């Protein structure tokens, strides 16, 4: 695959994630959209590393750190969503508006 193909894949993932994040009101679906957007960025970062500087391990470390941070973020987010759902049986963003700032 070429760099352009990876970047096209990354753009497609980001676009689908952006559509999912903006069009859904369920908190879980919103988080899945954010996950897709982050995955698009990771694919683009990994592709740039592979095609522009494959001799160094900097890109691999950056992708590994990004995936780890994303996994932690999603685990914490799903834990918060589960706690909100158990406490108030709310899974829509409009019903959980009192959590903002």
């Amino acid at each position: 695959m070429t760099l352009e193909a990876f970047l096209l894949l990354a753009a497609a993932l980001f676009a689908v994630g952006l559509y999912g994040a903006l069009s859904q009101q369920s908190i879980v679906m919103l988080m899945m959209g954010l996950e897709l957007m982050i995955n698009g960025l990771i694919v683009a970062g990994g592709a740039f590393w592979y095609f522009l500087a494959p001799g160094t391990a900097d890109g691999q470390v950056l992708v590994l750190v990004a995936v780890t941070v994303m996994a932690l973020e999603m685990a914490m987010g799903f834990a918060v969503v589960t706690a909100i759902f158990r406490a108030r049986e709310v899974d829509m963003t409009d019903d959980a508006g009192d959590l903002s700032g």
Side-chain angles (χ1 to χ4, degrees):
M1 290 181 75
T2 62
L3 177 62
E4 291 82 14
F6 278 111
L7 293 179
L8 188 63
L9 173 68
L13 281 174
F14 191 86
V16 169
L18 183 63
Y19 174 75
L22 293 178
S23 66
Q24 299 293 323
Q25 290 191 347
S26 171
I27 296 172
V28 174
M29 295 301 289
L30 177 70
M31 290 178 62
M32 290 177 72
L34 292 173
E35 181 98 11
L36 278 176
M37 291 170 58
I38 294 172
N39 280 330
L41 294 176
I42 290 173
V43 167
F48 276 122
W49 161 76
Y50 182 77
F51 286 101
L52 298 180
T56 62
D58 297 343
Q60 290 177 348
V61 172
L62 183 63
V63 167
L64 185 63
V65 168
V67 169
T68 303
V69 169
M70 182 180 65
L72 287 172
E73 172 201 348
M74 288 299 143
M76 291 178 63
F78 283 119
V80 168
V81 169
T82 302
I84 291 170
F85 184 76
R86 286 184 181 170
R88 295 190 279 167
E89 300 210 5
V90 169
D91 65 343
M92 304 300 264
T93 55
D94 292 338
D95 297 334
D98 57 334
L99 296 176
S100 64

